[in-house]
Amino acid sequence: MTKHEFWVAMTCEGCSGAVTRVLNKLGDVKFKIDLPSQLVWIESDRNVDELTETLKKCGKEVKYNGTK
């Protein structure tokens, strides 16, 4: 699986909770959230566009930083 890094405009536990909820709905991804740095790392075989659109469902600004 490829590990992707995203910047997500998260400011609180509620924000990171929203990210957790939308990613858990995918089912086949592993992820780690760094709230102070506003970063999310996702391990998945899904394409970047699908992961980006999924993250945007939490209502926050999202930017793809590349693979890690």
Side-chain angles (χ1 to χ4, degrees):
M1 283 196 280
T2 306
K3 189 171 189 178
H4 303 279
E5 182 181 278
F6 293 87
W7 175 85
V8 182
M10 301 176 288
T11 56
C12 65
E13 291 292 326
C15 299
S16 62
V19 170
T20 298
R21 283 190 296 278
V22 297
L23 290 176
N24 280 336
K25 287 181 182 178
L26 291 177
D28 62 346
V29 299
K30 295 179 184 176
F31 61 92
K32 180 181 176 192
I33 298 172
D34 181 347
L35 181 57
S37 299
Q38 298 183 318
L39 295 174
V40 179
W41 295 278
I42 303 172
E43 287 186 58
S44 177
D45 289 327
R46 293 176 183 256
N47 68 52
V48 172
D49 292 335
E50 184 177 2
L51 295 173
T52 302
E53 289 306 310
T54 298
L55 286 170
K56 286 182 178 179
K57 288 178 183 177
C58 69
K60 301 296 177 187
E61 184 181 355
V62 176
K63 293 180 184 171
Y64 179 61
N65 292 341
T67 57
K68 298 294 170 195

